[in-house]
């Protein structure tokens, strides 16, 4: 997209955002409960990326520094809005949840919306991600880019430690000291993801930027293995959702009747008692899923690189 004009970039981002919203409300929504009547609708990560893209199509027309400033302000100060709440069931509740609050909204006795990812601060994160892409322009050497990534990533980690230590801002849940050092550490890093607090973003994005800085020159087989998934992220996302949810649906049938299984899916996220597996089993399933999907993603990546169909840029 570097060769696109601002108008061309805006149009592409806008259309891709609408496409993601459509898929989120249909293909992705269906897989969460396998319920064709859509009694339950989860507005999750694909939904919020789509909404952010639609809005970012307008933000793109702003000067670079304005986009950077908007992203920094949104991410840094959105936790000031945490104390604002509205009574459940009102229009203001739905609008506020869409903007800045995770919540389950009962539209009727037969239809509920679970807002998993609100707009703020993700629109700010997207703006900062766009600005970070400037480091990958040709006028930035790899060495200079690594130094900047390391500096920003380290700054995020240090700011996280500083703010978290004082328990004053950036995270709704305060951490506690326990007699066990491990429990104290777990409390310290236990931050809010829905919506992501400032400290959650600092403690996740910071280490990732450091990781990018340290691994940019890696060209081994392990790196190539993971790069395959990075080149077809949305394709992988859809495949892993259907694979894992079909597996979960099948596994549930061994413990519950068909009607109980279907009902549990309709009442998400309120799963029945005893539902699920131990953490070690979950990790094992994750590893197996990765190796099942790798050859499919590798094939699709090769297909994208050797074909010029217009729809390939949307999947």
């Amino acid at each position: 997209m570097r060769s696109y004009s601002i108008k061309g970039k805006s149009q592409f981002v806008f259309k891709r955002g609408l496409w993601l919203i459509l898929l989120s409300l249909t293909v992705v929504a269906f897989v969460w409960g396998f319920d064709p009547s859509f009694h339950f609708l989860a507005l999750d990560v694909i939904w919020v990326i789509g909404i952010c893209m639609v809005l970012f199509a307008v933000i793109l027309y702003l000067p670079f520094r304005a986009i950077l400033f908007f992203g920094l302000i949104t991410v840094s100060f959105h936790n000031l809005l945490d104390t604002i709440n509205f009574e459940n069931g009102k229009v203001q509740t739905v609008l506020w949840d869409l903007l800045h609050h995770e919540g389950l909204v009962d539209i009727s006795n037969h239809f509920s919306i679970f807002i998993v990812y609100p707009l703020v601060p993700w629109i700010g994160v997207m703006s900062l991600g766009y600005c970070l892409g400037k480091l990958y322009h040709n006028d930035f050497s790899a060495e200079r880019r690594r130094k900047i990534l390391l500096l920003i990533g380290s700054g995020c980690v240090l700011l996280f430690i500083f703010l978290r230590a004082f328990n004053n801002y950036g995270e709704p849940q305060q951490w506690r000291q326990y007699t066990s050092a491990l429990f104290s550490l777990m409390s310290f890093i236990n931050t809010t993801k829905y919506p992501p607090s400032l400290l959650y973003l600092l403690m996740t994005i910071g280490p990732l930027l450091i990781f990018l800085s340290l691994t940019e020159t890696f060209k081994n087989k392990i790196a190539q293995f993971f790069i395959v998934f990075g080149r077809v992220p949305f394709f992988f996302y859809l495949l892993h959702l259907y694979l894992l949810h079909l597996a979960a649906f099948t596994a549930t049938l061994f413990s519950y009747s068909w009607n109980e299984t279907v009902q549990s899916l309709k009442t998400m996220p309120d799963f029945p008692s005893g539902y699920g597996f131990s953490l070690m089993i979950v990790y094992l399933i994750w590893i197996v899923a990765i190796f099942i999907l790798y050859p499919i993603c590798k094939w699709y990546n090769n297909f994208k690189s050797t074909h010029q169909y217009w729809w390939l840029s949307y999947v």
Side-chain angles (χ1 to χ4, degrees):
M1 287 183 61
R2 292 180 186 175
S3 59
Y4 283 23
S5 64
I6 293 296
K7 182 179 180 181
K9 291 179 181 178
S10 177
Q11 290 177 344
F12 176 82
V13 171
F14 181 77
K15 289 186 291 185
R16 185 167 186 136
L18 291 180
W19 172 240
L20 291 180
I21 292 172
L22 175 63
L23 290 182
S24 175
L25 299 178
T26 54
V27 177
V28 176
F30 174 74
V31 73
W32 288 112
F34 298 113
D35 179 15
S37 60
F38 291 95
H39 289 85
F40 175 84
L41 182 62
L43 302 182
D44 58 1
V45 60
I46 300 302
W47 156 269
V48 79
I49 292 175
I51 289 292
C52 286
M53 281 185 164
V54 170
L55 295 177
F56 197 71
V58 178
I59 295 174
L60 267 172
Y61 284 95
L62 296 175
F64 177 84
R65 291 186 178 181
I67 298 175
L68 177 61
F69 181 75
F70 170 76
L72 288 172
I73 292 297
T74 304
V75 170
S76 300
F77 298 108
H78 77 94
N79 282 117
L80 294 174
L81 305 173
D82 290 345
T83 58
I84 301 176
N85 291 289
F86 295 95
E87 293 182 21
N88 189 28
K90 293 187 177 182
V91 175
Q92 297 97 313
T93 306
V94 179
L95 295 178
W96 185 245
D97 287 352
L98 287 171
L99 181 67
H100 187 260
H101 189 270
E102 178 201 34
L104 180 64
V105 181
D106 294 320
I107 305 300
S108 69
N109 293 332
H110 304 287
F111 180 61
S112 300
I113 296 177
F114 186 31
I115 300 167
V116 185
Y117 286 87
L119 178 63
V120 177
W122 289 117
I123 185 64
V125 174
M126 180 174 287
S127 299
L128 293 179
Y130 171 80
C131 294
L132 196 68
K134 190 175 181 64
L135 298 179
Y136 290 86
H137 287 186
N138 294 331
D139 52 345
F140 272 87
S141 66
E143 183 62 29
R144 184 185 176 196
R145 176 169 56 252
R146 287 196 295 270
K147 289 180 179 179
I148 295 175
L149 289 173
L150 183 60
L151 179 63
I152 298 175
S154 301
C156 288
V157 172
L158 292 175
L159 183 58
F160 164 77
I161 295 173
F162 176 79
L163 291 176
R164 191 60 166 152
F166 287 97
N167 260 341
N168 286 328
Y169 178 73
E171 170 56 44
Q173 302 181 51
Q174 294 190 342
W175 72 283
R176 296 170 51 193
Q177 282 189 322
Y178 294 87
T179 54
S180 167
L182 178 60
F183 277 38
S184 296
L185 176 61
M186 293 174 64
S187 177
F188 193 83
I189 63 175
N190 182 27
T191 53
T192 305
K193 183 180 180 182
Y194 304 102
S197 65
L198 169 62
L199 295 191
Y200 174 85
L201 293 173
L202 289 174
M203 66 167 277
T204 52
I205 295 177
L208 284 174
L209 294 180
I210 295 174
F211 180 80
L212 278 177
S213 172
L214 299 178
T215 60
E216 181 170 334
T217 58
F218 283 15
K219 302 296 181 182
N220 54 35
K221 291 184 178 180
I222 296 177
Q224 291 302 315
F225 177 86
F226 290 103
I227 287 173
V228 166
F229 296 108
R231 287 176 174 167
V232 290
F234 186 54
F235 181 76
F236 168 76
Y237 178 81
L238 292 179
L239 284 184
H240 103 282
L241 271 186
Y242 274 84
L243 173 65
L244 294 180
H245 279 253
L246 281 171
F249 184 83
T250 304
T252 304
L253 291 175
F254 286 97
S255 302
Y256 303 93
S257 68
W258 175 265
N259 289 334
E260 288 175 327
T261 300
V262 173
Q263 185 60 35
S264 69
L265 292 171
K266 288 183 179 181
T267 57
M268 287 175 61
D270 297 322
F271 297 107
S273 176
Y275 183 89
F277 300 99
S278 67
L279 187 59
M280 292 304 298
I281 297 297
V282 172
Y283 278 129
L284 178 61
I285 294 171
W286 168 62
I287 293 172
V288 171
I290 289 294
F291 281 96
I292 289 175
L293 296 179
Y294 174 76
I296 305 174
C297 290
K298 185 177 182 180
W299 166 83
Y300 184 65
N301 178 47
N302 293 333
F303 181 82
K304 285 187 68 174
S305 61
T306 55
H307 294 77
Q308 300 298 322
Y309 300 118
W310 65 269
W311 52 268
L312 287 174
S313 61
Y314 290 91
V315 181

